[in-house]
Amino acid sequence: MNALILLVIGIAGLCFGWFIYSKFVASKILKLDKNFATPSHTLRDDIDYIPTNKFVLWGHHFTAVAGAAPIVGPAIAVQWGWMPAFFWVILGTIFFAGIHDMSALWASVRHQGQSIGSVCRHIVGSKVGQLFMIVIFLVLLMVNSAFGVIIAQESVQHPSTIIPAWGAVAVAILMGVAIYRFKLNLGIVTIIGVVTLYGLVPLGGILPINLPDNFAGFNAYQQWIIILFVYAGIASIMPVWLLLQPRDYINGIQLFIGLILLYGSIFIVAPKVVAPELIPAIQENGGWSILIPVLFITVACGAISGFHGIVSSGTTSKQIDKETDVRFVGYLGAVGEGSLALATIIACIAGLGLLNADLNPETWAMLYKGGAGNFSSGGAAILHAGLGIPESIAQTLLSLMIILFAATTMDAGIRLQRYIVQEWGELYKIPFLKNKWLSTLVAVFLCFTLSWNGLGEGGKNEVAIWPLFGATNQILASLTLLTISVILIKSKRFKGSLVTLIPMTFILCMSFWGALIKLKDYFIAQNYLLFAISFIVIIVTIAVVLSALSIIFKIINSKENA
């Protein structure tokens, strides 16, 4: 099998999703209206609510939702062979992620930019909505904590990325000032920003930055955790136009360029796929139990992710200029992430063969545990073979991609947690929680604490919370789709609701099954903190699903009796 065939099939599928399926859903089911007054205009404050060019907003949304997950998840999933991960990414992007992201964004825009939890509270019921908010908060807690550890690990292991990664912050602030204060041309500012960002890459190789092994009693990993959460807290209270928007936008552009280079190299090199379609254990009788349901909670971002609904209804919906931009920003954002997941799969299953001529399906099992490292190694090999880019620079570029995406997710994630804490302060009449400084401090403290515990032995262990995050994240996606389904059914779009009900049913079964497995695993391992979190998620899920189904059945019965 040649990787070029997989690339062509994948691109063709994503094009079908964008040009045909998303257009049908946007016009016939969601019925996007260009004349609808969006929250960015009706509630404009130029801090959180601000009308934004759809291309800039796409960059912010895409990089905020992407993070490192569309790289980490697929890179791990290819351990079962290339076929399951490949088809789940393509089909998931078209029929699951794109619809989930676009419809969550639409629902929030139609409800004054409120979070999907608040939307659920209005649509399904106050008590159920409050439970839904707990799941959202836990997902944000887990993703911010996990990405904090991932960035710390990448920063220690790849010191050549430090200058370009932190230089991107300065570049973003200057771009924000140039666009919004000096009203400079977006195209010119973009070109200057991208050139500056890539100009910092070789400088990072010349001047790698290593933190001391011991400073004030903290090792390098711990020092990075402290630095990252101090930064994330400050970034989360800055106006979105000054850092969050331009930072995410420039990261989106650099990813777009990176994908073009990587895809172009694949066309030139046409590397051979060295991974098996399925590992032998799956092909044997009963072997599918190895794959199901674990695949569907391992590959979340890149197929469907509940975190996307939080971003769509948290920061993105407050910046939509016209409601018709929802399709471009929401669905195309999911397509961009699916493209990254596809590139990750090919880099892992084919790029590694360029580094090891003896690698074949029989010896694949020796290397699959490389995870995200296989993406940077395999991708660098493809870039070197196709375009002649030195492997050291290519690997720095790909490692930088992981850090920048994870960091932008933290930026948005802490801000979103602050929103939820403030909403709780408003809901339960707790004045100090409504203060943005104190609510930010609460969010940062909780994430920092979990990240600190997740460092393990000197920061070298994997994040123990990641499997639980995967299951909870997918449960959240199914609950978001369920909420959207109720909205559509209440609007008498019964047939249209199938585009959300069908993927909702599938992913709810897979993720709930996975959550039960993790609940058992955590109990056996006596990890009672993660056991408690998993138990809360399961109970809340049952409550939300039963309440939503009750409303749906009432609507159906009233229609039959009418």
Side-chain angles (χ1 to χ4, degrees), residues 414-428:
I414 296 293
R415 182 181 292 263
L416 291 168
Q417 276 191 294
R418 187 245 297 174
Y419 291 161
I420 292 176
V421 173
Q422 287 180 304
E423 284 189 33
W424 281 339
E426 185 72 35
L427 185 63
Y428 297 110

Side-chain angles (χ1 to χ4, degrees), residues 347-423:
C348 291
I349 67 176
L352 293 179
L354 299 175
L355 298 174
N356 188 344
D358 297 326
L359 193 62
N360 56 59
E362 286 70 34
T363 58
W364 171 251
M366 296 186 301
L367 284 182
Y368 76 79
K369 290 185 178 179
N374 282 345
F375 164 72
S376 55
S377 298
I382 292 175
L383 289 174
H384 176 68
L387 301 176
I389 301 175
E391 287 193 30
S392 59
I393 293 179
Q395 192 154 8
T396 296
L397 284 171
L398 297 177
S399 298
L400 177 64
M401 187 183 296
I402 296 174
I403 291 176
L404 289 179
F405 274 11
T408 53
T409 298
M410 283 185 65
D411 291 356
I414 296 293
R415 182 181 292 263
L416 291 168
Q417 276 191 294
R418 187 245 297 174
Y419 291 161
I420 292 176
V421 173
Q422 287 180 304
E423 284 189 33

